[in-house]
Amino acid sequence: ARRSETYNGTLTMCDFWMNVSLKDVICTSRDGDRFWKLPECHIRGNNIKYLRIPDEVIDMVTEEPKTLKRDERMAGRGGRGRGRGGMVGGRDGGGRGRGGRGRGDGGGRGEGGRGGRGGRGRG
């Protein structure tokens, strides 16, 4: 934990934020002089520096299938525009500000629907 105590116990729960619950816990002070026996405790994830897990426990865990990276998930869908945009002067300019296109394809902040190239603005 944050004050450098050591907690030894049986892991009963762990969530996505690495908050953990332990049972049959022995808490050891930073200097190792004092010990406390606790029936259970909950430790918030941001206070955990590291976990030691026995090799035999790690060997029992099956690996999850590899998940696709963000770019692979987005393939075939086109980029996502940002901000306002839409029809400006009869041109379709979805994306940022007045016209222009978002980060998805073309980038920039130009006027109209040219993707930031060739219109007024910084491109």
Side-chain angles (χ1 to χ4, degrees):
R2 190 164 280 182
R3 295 179 301 227
S4 300
E5 295 102 355
T6 301
Y7 292 84
N8 288 310
T10 304
L11 180 68
T12 58
M13 186 278 305
C14 180
D15 64 16
F16 289 114
W17 298 275
M18 206 170 159
N19 299 319
V20 297
S21 291
L22 302 172
K23 70 176 183 177
D24 302 326
V25 181
I26 297 177
C27 178
T28 308
S29 65
R30 175 195 290 197
D31 52 15
D33 290 347
R34 290 173 282 164
F35 301 90
W36 298 271
K37 187 165 183 163
L38 307 168
E40 62 184 9
C41 75
H42 181 81
I43 303 170
R44 187 174 162 156
N46 67 329
N47 293 320
I48 297 173
K49 188 172 183 180
Y50 65 90
L51 292 173
R52 290 190 318 183
I53 300 172
D55 290 335
E56 56 269 12
V57 173
I58 292 174
D59 292 341
M60 293 187 318
V61 176
T62 59
E63 289 189 29
E64 293 183 20
K66 196 173 196 179
T67 59
L68 296 176
K69 295 178 183 167
R70 183 178 186 278
D71 295 337
E72 294 171 359
R73 287 193 317 251
M74 297 294 285
R77 287 204 279 179
R80 190 168 77 187
R82 292 175 48 106
R84 295 186 186 182
M87 297 295 284
V88 177
R91 295 189 203 140
D92 182 12
R96 291 176 70 118
R98 250 188 78 202
R101 298 182 92 130
R103 290 182 180 175
D105 36 63
R109 295 184 179 162
E111 293 272 329
R114 292 187 174 179
R117 296 186 186 105
R120 294 187 333 219
R122 292 191 286 198

